[in-house]
Amino acid sequence: MAVRRRRALAAGGFAAGALGAAARLAVRRAAWSPNVAEEPAPLEFPPGFRFGAATSAHQVEGGTTNNNWARFERHVRPDGRPAISGDQRCGQAADHWERFPDDVELMAQLGLDGYRFSLEWSRIEPAEGRFDDAALERYRSWCVLLRAAGIAPMITLHHFTEPLWITDRGGFEDAGTVAAFARFVEHVVPALADVCDWWVTINEPAVYAVNGWLNGEFPPAKQDVALAGRVLEHLLLAHARAYHTLHEHDRVDADGDGIPCWVSLATNVVAFEPRHTWNPADVAAAKVAHANFNVRPLDACVDGRFRFGLPGLARRAATHAELAGTLDYVGVNHYFRALVGVNPRAPAGLEVGFDDVTEKNDMGWDLIPATLGDAVRFAARYGRPVVVTEHGICDGEVPDRRRRAFLLDSLHALADALGEGVDVRGYYHWSLMDNFEWAHGFAPRFGLYRVDYATQERTLTGGGQLYRDIIASHRARVGDPPAP
Ligand code: FCB
């Protein structure tokens, strides 16, 4: 079998046992091999469970030239490397802006119940206070098209991009950006409220802050722990403002579930474990990473207390009443388990990486399906329904053996969590189609549909076929009508 056997990872779970059932799960994680049973146990999801797929504007639309990422494409890193691997340009990406109706057809062929996409702020408000209502109207028409196909829209308001006029004022380093974002949200929500019930305010605030201001992978490519903390705080405040605006304006129950809007941020939950469980410094480092990245941003949305702190480096604490109680559900993006160790030369002294034995995706991320179950168990501690707003794998091989195996086993891990009573309402696979993977460019292929960028032709992958079959058999089993 092509799967490499791996050295047993000592028990630890998220952040060295931060989660209850971690030890048991760690044993399972250490022993993953793809599900090749002749008759695997059926996947049990409850009626009404929503199967979806996700994208974001800059990664798929094409022609998004007025934002921070478009400028970043021309940036050269201090060591001479281009900001985007291979000096690639996002360009037309997957041309989703023009091909949206055809892409809805592809979603329908998968049998999707939901589609998560983001609004490109730089299209809707290209200059401060100047709104392009034709762009906003296009997004509205997308919601209408989706609903006509029985697919519920889920809209992300901020997914890693902002217009250049925001970048020029310092992006989310500047407290004024919180107010500017709030004005943008006040403009767009009334135009969309009657056609959308599911909202993600900010995608992965911790990733955006860490990658932009700590490890320098994203724009503005700074390495400053204190600034990373400030940006994270501002992003959470932006989330709070959007949360309240949405509840003020979205009073139409578009999908008939009795609730006019569901609002959350999409938080990236990483399964942090110490690089060496016998090394107390690594154990402590994993705890610091887990606390700052996974726990505190969600805590802040529950009790309003923002905290960010790295021993000896930066500390920030503040209470913001408007942040308290701003999660209607917990949106979880989950991709990997990461090993954390101490390294004085690494940003913030923490080295986050992968082992050298676990099977990898094309970006070198460890493939451990059981951690999806851990991620939703963790999120469920916040006492709200959980939605997996992103999860997936880049696999450019044809056929995509790893995508099929990883998807199947991850969905089993998710179904196990549901079977234990964890309230998960949906799973949105990343991604509907191949796209521009930020600083890595087009090489990583996350799509259920493979995209030929020369012709923009889409081809269903093996993983896509499997997902389609899983959705169909779920529907046949529970008697769900074809997507509402
Ligand atoms: C997530 C991002 C998403 C995509 C996936 C692979 O962190 O939210 O845009 O890049 O990773």
Side-chain angles (χ1 to χ4, degrees), residues 56 59 116 159-160 203-204 207 268 333 335 363 365 390 430 435-438 446:
S56 87
Q59 294 180 275
R116 174 180 171 221
H159 195 126
F160 294 170
N203 182 68
E204 299 185 350
V207 170
N268 186 316
N333 293 359
Y335 287 92
M363 289 168 78
W365 300 349
E390 284 182 30
W430 184 273
N435 58 56
F436 180 77
E437 178 47 35
W438 308 114
F446 277 94

Side-chain angles (χ1 to χ4, degrees), residues 15 272 282-294 296 309-311 350:
F272 291 111
D282 289 354
V283 173
K287 280 190 174 145
V288 167
H290 178 60
N292 283 291
F293 194 89
N294 294 332
R296 290 175 170 172
L310 291 161
L350 299 179

